[in-house]
Amino acid sequence: MSFKLTKSREKTGQILFFTLILFIPSFTIRVIGIILLCSAMLVNDIKNKNVELLYFLPFSKRELFLYNLMFLVLIISITSAADKIYYNLTILEGLLVILKTIIALLAIYGISMLFTTLGHDGFIWSIVITIADALLGDLGSTNLNAADFNPYSLISFTKQGSMILAFLYAALICFFAYFAYVKKGGEN
């Protein structure tokens, strides 16, 4: 019993520390915080085979996935709203900062859950794919008329050349993760 309590305290401490990282007003630091926070949530339980304990709760796999995602969106929204105060942004600019961070969250959470559900290390793959996304998104220009136009930069979840296309891309990644987790059951 004390081992479970110690693990619970350790996980709570990780979540609190990673949440504090999200208060740093830098998108790059926030992306790192999102990767760390996602790795401490349901992804960690699946990886360490503790997810079976969660199945004893009166929640379906579908609800566990969505509640975990909603909790993360709430944390991201609250910490991103701090930018409005720090940078003295207008309401619209503050909402865009929150949306930009939520887009990154959807993609990173989706990548972490998808790879963990498929039996791989979701933490490592979320780092690798986020770095690849940042590199590919920064190549060329987001300007349609430019000679070095890069269409991927429009959907990149780190570059977000078009917030609408980036949101759709991130939502699609998250949906694939949701589908894989619910169908496969999130077990290794």
Side-chain angles (χ1 to χ4, degrees):
M1 179 69 177
S2 74
F3 177 72
K4 295 277 186 205
L5 189 59
T6 304
K7 283 291 194 182
S8 175
R9 285 183 186 159
E10 181 180 311
K11 186 173 182 176
T12 303
Q14 285 179 342
I15 291 170
L16 288 174
F17 178 72
F18 297 152
T19 300
L20 290 176
I21 291 173
L22 295 173
F23 279 105
I24 298 172
S26 162
F27 183 70
T28 305
I29 299 296
R30 282 209 179 113
V31 168
I32 293 168
I34 289 169
I35 291 171
L36 293 171
L37 191 58
C38 286
S39 72
M41 302 293 283
L42 187 57
V43 170
N44 187 39
D45 291 330
I46 296 169
K47 180 182 170 190
N48 294 326
K49 296 184 174 42
N50 293 335
V51 75
E52 287 80 16
L53 297 174
L54 294 175
Y55 295 153
F56 288 115
L57 297 173
F59 303 121
S60 66
K61 293 173 184 127
R62 188 174 294 131
E63 291 170 328
L64 282 173
F65 183 94
L66 293 175
Y67 292 159
N68 197 32
L69 180 59
M70 286 189 295
F71 177 71
L72 289 170
V73 167
L74 179 67
I75 289 175
I76 296 299
S77 299
I78 291 169
T79 57
S80 295
D83 268 4
K84 182 172 176 354
I85 297 165
Y86 185 77
Y87 289 120
N88 198 19
L89 302 173
T90 65
I91 291 175
L92 181 61
E93 290 169 335
L95 290 174
L96 288 176
V97 167
I98 292 170
L99 180 61
K100 185 175 182 175
T101 312
I102 288 174
I103 290 170
L105 169 69
L106 286 174
I108 293 168
Y109 179 70
I111 291 164
S112 298
M113 285 297 296
L114 181 64
F115 279 94
T116 303
T117 299
L118 297 175
H120 303 287
D121 190 345
F123 174 67
I124 297 297
W125 280 105
S126 64
I127 292 171
V128 169
I129 292 174
T130 301
I131 291 171
D133 182 82
L135 292 174
L136 290 173
D138 278 343
L139 295 175
S141 171
T142 58
N143 184 353
L144 294 170
N145 298 323
D148 62 345
F149 171 64
N150 177 6
Y152 184 76
S153 66
L154 297 176
I155 64 169
S156 167
F157 60 88
T158 55
K159 178 74 170 181
Q160 299 179 14
S162 167
M163 288 187 87
I164 294 170
L165 293 177
F167 176 78
L168 292 173
Y169 179 57
L172 184 66
I173 293 170
C174 199
F175 175 75
F176 283 143
Y178 169 80
F179 186 75
Y181 177 70
V182 169
K183 289 298 178 190
K184 185 167 183 196
E187 298 154 354
N188 290 332

